[in-house]
Amino acid sequence: MGKLKAVVFDLDGVLTETSEYHYFAWKKLVNEIGIDFDREFNENLKGVSRMESFERILIHCGKQKEYTQEEKIKLAHKKNEMYKEMIKGITPNDLFKGVVELLEELGRRNIKIAIGSVSRNAPGIIKGLGIEKYIDYIVDVDKIKQGKPAPDIFLNASEVLMVKPEECIGVEDAEVGIEAIKAAGMFAVGVGTEDKMYGADIIFASPEGLNLDRILEAYELWRK
Ligand code: BG6
Ligand code: MG
């Protein structure tokens, strides 16, 4: 029976509630250009890169032909400035309850920890959250060919940590994230509702409910 060697965590919506700020910042930006979208549509943006998110919003609102690429880049940059303003005071208090205990327990068991986020803000957020010391590797999205749902981010983490994909667990709150973990050949832990976490090997309703013993039990059955 194979032993678990690494866990690759998504960041936004898994370790901290920054996904709400992505939502608020996009809403603020697009309201300024006279369009809007709701929380339900926002689900389609989770785990999706900054420019792709903007494209999706414009398509959703029937405005995709109204902006040049240069204008889209400028507007996406503005959204990021708004987002950074919203999260500039991020501290360890913004971690979901139980995250530090989970990271410490993984460390005690010699299980490596990576962050597999598509966010270019990830290193700064991890610093603000004060969890750098627990993290063995943060995937650098600039070095990744394809974002989620492609497996590249998760495969890069396993390669750098020198463990096989089947020796890794991925933890995600986005539909495209679960797809990416499964495409990488890893065990997928989903955080969210059953319908959104379709394909996950085990699902928890919220990040605060993540339970390592239950995860390990399910993982070991999956490895058999
Ligand atoms: C993901 C979020 O983690 O990062 C997405 O779920 C976001 O909502 C993406 O668009 C990119 O983030 P950033 O910080 O590079 O704009
Ligand atoms: Mg996420």
Side-chain angles (χ1 to χ4, degrees):
M1 195 179 66
K3 200 181 159 297
L4 177 68
K5 299 217 174 129
V7 179
V8 187
F9 287 96
D10 174 45
L11 175 66
D12 299 317
V14 167
L15 300 182
T16 180
E17 195 46 311
T18 35
S19 51
E20 276 294 291
Y21 297 113
H22 279 296
Y23 174 51
F24 296 147
W26 277 127
K27 246 180 122 67
K28 198 168 169 204
L29 178 93
V30 303
N31 286 349
E32 283 182 10
I33 58 170
I35 56 179
D36 200 11
F37 66 95
D38 60 17
R39 206 170 257 288
E40 198 191 329
F41 178 75
N42 186 57
E43 287 299 312
N44 301 307
L45 307 181
K46 289 188 175 170
V48 175
S49 75
R50 194 179 309 160
M51 286 310 293
E52 172 71 18
S53 295
F54 193 33
E55 284 295 341
R56 288 190 184 193
I57 297 169
L58 291 175
I59 291 170
H60 177 66
C61 299
K63 300 269 181 188
Q64 68 270 37
K65 298 214 173 80
E66 291 190 17
Y67 299 93
T68 63
Q69 190 57 18
E70 206 177 298
E71 285 167 337
K72 286 185 211 170
I73 292 171
K74 267 198 192 140
L75 287 164
H77 175 76
K78 191 170 178 197
K79 176 267 174 177
N80 193 48
E81 292 302 309
M82 290 169 169
Y83 175 68
K84 286 200 298 195
E85 184 60 30
M86 290 175 185
I87 60 160
K88 71 175 183 211
I90 199 162
T91 73
N93 287 333
D94 294 297
L95 282 166
F96 284 124
K97 207 158 87 308
V99 167
V100 168
E101 291 75 5
L102 180 60
L103 298 178
E104 281 178 347
E105 186 53 28
L106 290 170
R108 272 195 290 276
R109 294 178 190 228
N110 286 320
I111 297 170
K112 297 218 165 85
I113 299 170
I115 301 294
S117 170
V118 75
S119 169
R120 291 190 159 76
N121 291 297
I125 293 174
I126 285 160
K127 212 169 179 193
L129 293 171
I131 53 170
E132 274 173 310
K133 57 179 180 284
Y134 302 112
I135 314 289
D136 297 290
Y137 175 59
I138 302 173
V139 174
D140 176 357
V141 269
D142 287 321
K143 299 205 173 91
I144 302 295
K145 273 206 188 119
Q146 292 188 81
K148 301 165 188 180
D152 305 29
I153 288 180
F154 290 93
L155 288 176
N156 173 262
S158 72
E159 272 161 32
V160 173
L161 295 177
M162 292 192 293
V163 295
K164 295 183 193 133
E166 64 269 28
E167 295 167 332
C168 296
I169 278 177
V171 190
E172 266 289 351
D173 70 320
E175 293 183 61
V176 288
I178 297 293
E179 267 184 70
I181 298 171
K182 293 316 296 175
M186 297 181 183
F187 180 88
V189 177
V191 176
T193 54
E194 302 252 346
D195 57 325
K196 298 271 173 350
M197 292 297 102
Y198 180 77
D201 297 294
I202 186 169
I203 299 169
F204 293 88
S206 79
E208 287 164 351
L210 284 170
N211 177 307
L212 188 58
D213 289 333
R214 280 188 54 209
I215 293 172
L216 290 175
E217 203 180 307
Y219 170 76
E220 276 158 24
L221 281 172
W222 179 80
R223 282 302 302 272
K224 270 184 187 159

